[in-house]
Structure formats: structure tokens, C-alpha cells
Amino acid sequence: MKLSSIEYKLLPKTFKAETLISFLFTHGKTEYNWCPDQRIRDHFKKLKSGKIFAWGAFSGEIMVGLITAELGGQFCHHYGEKTSAEIIEFVVHSEHRGMGIGTALVNCAKKSIFTQHQDIKEIYVMVHASNVASSRAFIKEGFAVVITFDDPFRNRHTTVLKVKKAIPSTKLTRVLGIQSGNAVDGIDIVVVDFEEPLLSSSRTVSELKYHVVAFETFPWLKEKRQEIFALREGNWQGCNAANYGIAKHFVETALTFLAKHSIAKKTIDLVSSHGQTIHGHPHWEIGELSSIAQGLGITTVGDFRSADVAAGGNGSPCTCTYDYLMLRPPVGSSMWRICINIGGTSSVTFCPPQGSVELPSGLDPGLGVLYIDWAANKCDPNLEYDKDGKLGLTGKINKALLDEMLQHPHFQKNQLPISVGPDDFTRSCFDQWHQQAKELGCTDQDFVATLTELSAMTIALACKKFGPCTDDIIVRGGVRNNPYFMERLRVNLCHALGQDIQTLRSLNDLGFEEKSWETVLYAMMGFLCIKGLYNFVPSCTGASHPVVGGKICPGNNFSSIELQVLDSFKGDSGTGVV
């Protein structure tokens, strides 16, 4: 069996126990592994009740590794601390041992246990004393041998290893981030631990580190999605009810997320909700913050953009905050970096190297995949997007239609700042272009191809018009899974910038998690707000000065964080960018 890239993930409670039992019996019955039939079956059946946790390694859809753990455990009950966990089963596919899969599984389980269960201080594991390979995998991840003893229960010599939780040098703040993007294709939820930031002045961050504990996207209910799109078209009669209804849905989804990922609500210090954008000039997000704070019982921050708007900015692009803090080229680099984000709409940040006195700039070029998604649905009502770019690849770009689309007022703007909102690219505009496509004899696949070219071309032209000369380009978003879009973007960037660009790098290439970064951004906005730190980049948004954006709605835990907030606001007002 040839391996594709390996994905490691926490298995949900709904994962079939029989699949795990079969995998262990097939690949785990060795001279080193104690596998009594009934005990194994009873063990894996505990996954459904949440009494054990399991992590799998997958090559595509094929499982190639498995590790399980439970809080407490046999050895822990007798010898360990009450705040312990124990690794119970640990198996790698027989054809793929010695490839580092076991070590990566141990790392995955260790990080997950320590970050999701903050009361757990140490993890134990028992292995056959002669099982050198398994011991080595644990030792590589910081486990140390505690004891080797004659184990009559298993009729062998057993070695016990243990790892202790590292005490962080700085206090961590755990934030639950919630957001729904311009494509309205799902509710993204993340739990992220932030270290105390390094400051260059009283309110200006120079360095920020974080760790993603868990992330997941939950689909919108069809009726909720339709409700949001109706609001974005200006049908605001039900806006107040939607404001509270969407907040309630955020709360229910967050509770589902926490239960699914076994994260105790009491470990969350702060909720940071971007909400759902329904208007862009000025920005307007709904999802009532007080409802979230009361529903979860946790202090909640949101409505970030209004402070930047009050300071003369557009409140957008927010992505520049993440890019400027996390993605600038290293000190000493002579090249800027272009950071492109493609969701329902698109945004770009032009980042100077760290240590540079030059300021970043950025804009929203316009469309991302929103219209492409709608066009894919025209091809097939069962499709929500152009999966793998197959529709665009089979269609033909209609130049006459493309030229007409390029006359849209948003694409004619020649001066920064430039922000985009739902009111720029409405459903009526899409319907008008779709009708024009039909009149020009375009198939629905041609329409998808032409819209793909429109997004790719306008992003590239914005980089040419407003950006530096560089081939250091980062592209983020689910569109990376669309090879047709990515190739059209690369070709358009080559043409616009006059460079032979072979690679459009991903966040993964820089060591950041691709899927969660945007929701981390909105968790970051809340974290910076509660610390009293600047969370907008005025040279990108057009504001006259930096702001601490966000409104704070106290929850049941507010008394435990309010002193932190007050302390953060001491000092001068500061100047400069994030």
C-alpha cells in the first residue's frame, strides 16, 4: 500500500468501535501486545460514552495507526496521581512501522490530552519490556522509564513510562473563536491558547504565539443560510430576530464542539465572536454578543470593526492583523511577502520584513469563490462548490463576458484603502451576469470558468497595482483544493507581476495550520481586545490611528478576568500599527 500524506486526528465518539477492534486484531496481535478478546472489545466500546479517547493516523481514507487513552487507568489508580491519564492501546499498521507514524501518534495524543484536559498533569503507558520500537516512540516524545517489573497479570515483564506536563513559562489565555465567512458555507469554531504577547510599546504587539487546541467547521442549516442571504440583499425586516437567533445557533454549535472535542467549558477564559457579516459599507455583523455571553456563561468579545470605522477606517481587511503579526518575512529579508486570502471574497496584505520601518498595506480585491459556488449550484443543485475545479476545467472562459464583469465599480477603484462587503457583490448582480452568460451562449460550466478567471485576474491585477515586486506569495483558503483555480491564479500572477512564479506557498509551508488560521484571527482579535492591545492595522484599513476594536459582554467568569483587562489599559495611548 502506497502512502499519501498522513493526517492525524481525534476520532469522534461516533467512530465505529468494530473498525478499531478489527484494526487492532489485524495489526496489534504481536508477541509484544497483550490482546485478550473481550477486554479489547469492552475497551473500544467505551469510545461512544466518552470514557476513552482515540486518535487515528490516516492515509486518505485508510487507517494506518491508532492510539487510545483514558483519564485515570490501571497503573494510575495504583501508582500515579489522580490527575493522570494512561495510554491503553498503541498500534501502527504492520506494513508501515519504522516510518515515524507511531511517534507522531504519541505526540498527537500527548498534546491533545494536556491541552484539552488542563487538570491532567502526567500521562503513563505500559509496554512489553522487550518492545523497543514502542518505547522509543514514547521516549522521543518526552516519556521516561518509571519502572520495569514482573507483570503476572499479562504474563510478561512490563515497562512503565511517564511524561509530565510542561509548565508554561508564561500564562496562557484560552479563547474560543467563532466566525462565519462571506461564503456563508459554515460556522468555524476554534479553541486556541495564546501566550502573553511581547510588546514594543504599551499597546503595540511585536510578537505573539499561540497553539490550536481544536478546530472544526459546522454546516449552516439550510433555512439559516437562506435567512442570512436575504438579510444581505437588504431584506432587513427580520434582522433583530436573526441577530438573536444566530447567536443562539452559535451557542448551540459551540457546546456541540466542546463536547465533541472533550474540552471542558470551565477551561475557556474568553469567547471571541466575529459574527456574520450582512453589510459592508460600513461593516455590520450580527450574532448578539450578550446572548452568546449568557448562553455560554463566558465573557464574550466581538463587534471589532466598528472601532476602526469610527477612527475613519473601513474596518477591513481584518486579515492584515494576522498577516502583519504572524507572516512577515524574517529580519534581514530584502523582499516583501504577499499574503492572499480567498474565501467568499478575497483579501491581500503586502507585508514588509520584520524590523522594517515601512508600513504594511492591503485591500480586498473583490470576489473569491462566492459567485463560483453559486454558479456550481446552477450546474447541479446538489453541488455547493466546484469540487476539485472540475466544472471550471470543463468550461471555456468567455472573454466578452469577462470584459463586462471587469467593469464592475469595485474593480475600478484606484486608491487605497479598498474594502469589500456583501453589498458590493449581491445576488442580483450574480443573476444579471448569469443572464448575460446565457445570452452569449455560455454553458453553466463556461460561467464557472469565467467567474474563476474573474476572481483570479482581479486578485492578480490588485497585486500589480498596489503591491511590491516579489515572488514570495502565500495563498490561503479552501480554494487551494481547487487545482483549476490555483493554476489560473498562478498564471494571472505571472502575467500581472511579470515574473515566473512556480509555487504559491501555503500556510502549512510556513509552519501554521491552514484550516484554522482565519478563525484563530478572530480569536486573536478578542484576545488583543481583552488585553487592551491594538488589533487593527490602520495603514491597511485607512483609519487615522490604531484602535483596540471590540465590545466586551461579561459572562459568569468576568470577575476572574476584569483585573487583567484594567491592568492592560494602564499606560499611554501609544502610536503606530499592531
Side-chain angles (χ1 to χ4, degrees), residues 137-406:
F138 286 100
I139 290 169
K140 282 184 177 179
E141 287 304 321
F143 283 72
V145 174
V146 175
I147 190 174
T148 297
F149 66 99
D150 186 10
D151 186 352
F153 188 59
R154 294 174 177 78
N155 192 27
R156 71 185 193 190
H157 282 84
T158 291
T159 295
V160 179
L161 300 98
K162 178 180 77 171
V163 65
K164 288 188 175 183
K165 185 175 184 178
I167 305 300
S169 57
T170 58
K171 181 184 181 297
L172 299 178
T173 299
R174 176 163 289 186
V175 182
L176 186 150
I178 306 173
Q179 74 113 5
S180 173
N182 275 313
V184 199
D185 51 2
I187 301 169
D188 297 329
I189 300 186
V190 71
V191 168
V192 55
D193 289 337
F194 289 100
E195 295 185 13
E196 288 296 299
L198 295 179
L199 307 181
S200 57
S201 70
S202 62
R203 292 195 190 178
T204 303
V205 177
S206 61
E207 184 178 338
L208 184 59
K209 295 180 180 179
Y210 67 84
H211 168 71
V212 174
V213 177
F215 169 79
E216 189 168 350
T217 298
F218 295 82
W220 276 104
L221 298 174
K222 184 177 181 181
E223 57 270 24
K224 284 289 184 185
R225 195 166 188 250
Q226 291 173 340
E227 181 182 11
I228 292 166
F229 280 127
L231 291 171
R232 287 160 60 128
E233 290 297 312
N235 301 320
W236 293 343
Q237 186 173 358
C239 186
N240 191 47
N243 185 38
Y244 287 93
I246 285 173
K248 182 180 178 182
H249 196 54
F250 283 167
V251 169
E252 293 168 349
T253 306
L255 290 172
T256 299
F257 170 87
L258 292 174
K260 183 174 180 180
H261 292 273
S262 303
I263 300 172
K265 192 172 70 169
K266 66 181 180 181
T267 67
I268 307 297
D269 298 308
L270 184 73
V271 175
S272 182
S273 174
H274 173 261
Q276 176 64 62
T277 300
I278 60 170
H279 196 267
H281 302 291
H283 263 274
W284 183 11
E285 280 75 38
I286 61 173
E288 176 56 44
L289 298 172
S290 292
S291 290
I292 298 173
Q294 295 305 311
L296 292 175
I298 304 170
T299 296
T300 300
V301 184
D303 192 14
F304 302 110
R305 300 178 192 259
S306 56
D308 185 80
V309 172
N314 285 322
S316 180
C318 283
T319 51
C320 297
T321 298
Y322 184 94
D323 298 347
Y324 188 67
L325 282 175
M326 310 305 300
L327 301 183
R328 280 177 294 164
V331 173
S333 175
S334 61
M335 298 287 283
W336 285 48
R337 174 175 289 156
I338 297 177
C339 302
I340 300 172
N341 179 50
I342 303 172
T345 54
S346 57
S347 61
V348 178
T349 311
F350 306 114
C351 289
Q354 296 175 34
S356 172
V357 296
E358 296 181 274
L359 298 178
S361 60
L363 76 154
D364 293 331
L367 281 166
V369 298
L370 178 63
Y371 276 16
I372 301 171
D373 291 350
W374 289 353
N377 187 251
K378 291 287 187 183
C379 294
D380 182 346
N382 295 315
L383 291 177
E384 294 184 358
Y385 62 98
D386 183 12
K387 186 175 182 180
D388 301 324
K390 292 178 181 178
L391 297 174
L393 187 61
T394 57
K396 294 181 179 179
I397 298 166
N398 187 294
K399 189 175 184 307
L401 179 60
L402 179 63
D403 289 342
E404 176 65 26
M405 291 172 169
L406 288 169

Side-chain angles (χ1 to χ4, degrees), residues 17 20-21 24 37-49 51-54 66-70 86-90:
L20 305 179
I21 293 167
L24 187 136
D37 187 280
Q38 192 56 49
R39 192 195 72 86
I40 294 298
R41 294 184 183 279
D42 291 344
H43 173 70
F44 283 115
K45 286 178 181 177
K46 293 178 183 178
L47 180 65
K48 186 176 182 179
S49 65
K51 292 181 179 179
I52 69 163
F53 309 96
L66 169 69
I67 193 168
T68 70
E70 65 180 66
E86 184 174 347
I87 302 294
I88 306 297
E89 297 298 340
F90 176 53

